[in-house]
Amino acid sequence: MSTASSRPTSGPHSGGTGQPRMSRPIALADLTEDLLWPKLLRVPALALRPASITIGFFGLLIASLVGDLSKLWRPANSLSVGTLLSDELERGASGFWRDLMRGIQTADGTALQSAFGWIVRIPRMLWEEFSWGSLIAIASVAVLLIAGGAISRIAACDFAHGVRISWVEALGFAIRRWVSLVFCFAGPLLIVAIVYAVLAAAGWTLFSIGWMQFIGATLFVLALLGATLAVALIVLTVLGAPLMIPAIACEGADAIEAMQRAYAYVPARPIRYALYVLLTLAVGMLAIAVAVAVASGITSFAMVAAGAWVKEPPRLLMYPLTPPANATEWLLKLWIGLPLAIAGAYAFSVLFTGCTVIYLVLRRVVDGQTMTDIWVPGVVPGTALPTDTSAGANPADASVSREAADED
């Protein structure tokens, strides 16, 4: 009768076969596999996809051209809607962040009021400068949001399943959802504008006549309730803005669902969300700085080399910031600015790619939903089970579906 003691023993590295088993070296991926924040370090590489940079380049170009339409009814040397919008967005973002942080750190109500005042200053500046022509800014922003939605879709498919879709397929995805991409931001702002108009009309009615001011004072608590709603929408929209476009790209959601997800995720894990944003900003800004340095180096090298043996080189080769005066200088201006324009397109891609990765990582923390779970036509959400697909299914989406099924 055989016993356990009569059986050949196996060593700890024999794998039960009596033969030594070779174990592979521990890699960095093994140590960080269960960690979420290292996923954010992939943003610069994901944003470097040619399809994302192509969409970013043409998105910025078309948005700029749409903004320059205001020059049709203004003098040629005047400011355009596109230029003013880009300048005011940059100033408004930095001013809002600066005053908000100062107000939080010092509990200064005036600083907090100034921070939210930056949001109102941008449309007011556009209106004062261009009147009804400022509505062109809406079209410019819509172009940027559609381009951002396409880049987010590319990043989602690549990050979740390693599937690279073309810029045409990603742009088609975004164009079909342009209403959701625009109204996930325009919707809250429209509600805030309606609340503001109602409160202004009520204030004019009740406080313009002396004997009605007592009634206005009595009902002022209703104004506070309306203001609470408006401020809450502004805060949640500003803080949750990085999550709205990715929610549409990853979930195939509409504007309402995108807002609901953003408004739920931010307060659910505020500290974790802030750390993810700061880490992504640090990594993204470093990558963008490198891209700008490389683009500047390419331009400088080409300009110096091209004019090295020329006695009288074109003026723009010596002074690239000089306004062009003829066709030759216009063409040189175009080529000189191309490397920096591509670097700008890469920065645009980093922005929306980073937001997409943040969304997938934060969704994993809040909902426990796997980061490989993205919306695919013909697949039941959250599974790899097929549904009835139409004859015109997108082949790129089908490839994502097959990848999801293989991983499951």
Side-chain angles (χ1 to χ4, degrees):
M1 184 176 65
S2 62
T3 62
S5 60
S6 65
R7 296 173 184 170
T9 59
S10 299
H13 301 287
S14 65
T17 64
Q19 300 295 328
R21 183 180 62 185
M22 302 299 295
S23 60
R24 65 178 180 85
I26 297 178
L28 179 62
D30 299 322
L31 301 177
T32 62
E33 184 177 1
D34 295 331
L35 299 178
L36 296 179
W37 66 265
K39 311 292 185 184
L40 301 172
L41 302 180
R42 296 181 55 191
V43 169
L46 290 173
L48 199 56
R49 303 294 185 245
S52 299
I53 295 178
T54 300
I55 293 175
F57 180 84
F58 285 104
L60 292 172
L61 177 62
I62 295 173
S64 176
L65 294 175
V66 171
D68 287 342
L69 290 176
S70 58
K71 291 183 178 180
L72 296 176
W73 62 85
R74 294 181 60 86
N77 60 349
S78 65
L79 199 63
S80 68
V81 169
T83 303
L84 182 61
L85 179 62
S86 61
D87 292 343
E88 289 301 316
L89 283 175
E90 182 179 357
R91 289 181 55 212
S94 60
F96 174 82
W97 181 259
R98 181 184 64 251
D99 292 340
L100 181 63
M101 291 297 99
R102 182 161 58 90
I104 293 175
Q105 293 171 359
T106 62
D108 185 358
T110 304
L112 293 174
Q113 183 178 2
S114 177
F116 291 107
W118 282 103
I119 300 175
V120 181
R121 289 189 189 104
I122 296 175
R124 186 175 63 190
M125 284 286 295
L126 289 170
W127 180 263
E128 291 175 353
E129 184 70 23
F130 300 99
S131 185
W132 290 103
S134 60
L135 295 179
I136 292 177
I138 300 176
S140 294
V141 173
V143 171
L144 295 177
L145 292 177
I146 292 173
I151 293 174
S152 290
R153 183 61 180 176
I154 293 174
C157 294
D158 198 350
F159 180 82
H161 302 297
V163 175
R164 299 188 183 184
I165 63 176
S166 69
W167 70 270
V168 176
E169 294 158 344
L171 193 59
F173 174 90
I175 291 176
R176 290 192 296 270
R177 290 161 179 79
W178 73 269
V179 175
S180 296
L181 292 170
V182 173
F183 275 90
C184 65
F185 292 97
L189 296 179
L190 182 60
I191 295 174
V192 170
I194 293 174
V195 171
Y196 183 90
V198 170
L199 293 181
W204 178 81
T205 302
L206 297 176
F207 292 116
S208 296
I209 304 175
W211 64 270
M212 295 188 66
Q213 290 184 356
F214 178 78
I215 300 177
T218 304
L219 299 177
F220 190 75
V221 64
L222 298 179
L224 293 178
L225 293 177
T228 301
L229 171 63
V231 171
L233 282 176
I234 292 174
V235 171
L236 290 174
T237 301
V238 171
L239 296 180
L243 305 178
M244 291 185 183
I245 299 298
I248 296 174
C250 297
E251 316 292 350
D254 55 18
I256 296 177
E257 183 180 351
M259 289 186 291
Q260 289 175 340
R261 285 180 175 268
Y263 294 168
Y265 289 169
V266 172
R269 293 291 190 276
I271 303 299
R272 189 80 67 94
Y273 176 59
L275 293 176
Y276 289 161
V277 170
L278 291 176
L279 177 59
T280 306
L281 277 176
V283 174
M285 291 179 67
L286 179 60
I288 292 171
V290 172
V292 172
V294 171
S296 300
I298 292 173
T299 302
S300 300
F301 186 93
M303 291 170 57
V304 172
W309 294 349
V310 182
K311 292 184 178 180
E312 294 184 3
R315 185 180 49 161
L316 283 178
L317 291 181
M318 304 298 296
Y319 308 102
L321 298 180
T322 305
N326 51 49
T328 300
E329 292 184 352
W330 275 104
L331 190 58
L332 280 175
K333 187 78 171 180
L334 174 65
W335 293 122
I336 288 173
L338 183 60
L340 284 177
I342 295 176
Y346 175 68
F348 190 76
S349 176
V350 167
L351 172 64
F352 284 95
T353 300
C355 291
T356 304
V357 177
I358 289 174
Y359 173 83
L360 290 172
V361 172
L362 189 65
R363 186 188 68 176
R364 174 69 175 83
V365 174
V366 177
D367 287 343
Q369 191 173 353
T370 176
M371 289 181 287
T372 61
D373 184 12
I374 62 173
W375 178 83
V376 178
V379 175
V380 178
T383 72
L385 300 177
T387 61
D388 293 334
T389 58
S390 60
N394 193 322
D397 292 330
S399 64
V400 179
S401 174
R402 289 192 298 270
E403 184 72 19
D406 292 340
E407 292 194 3
D408 288 346

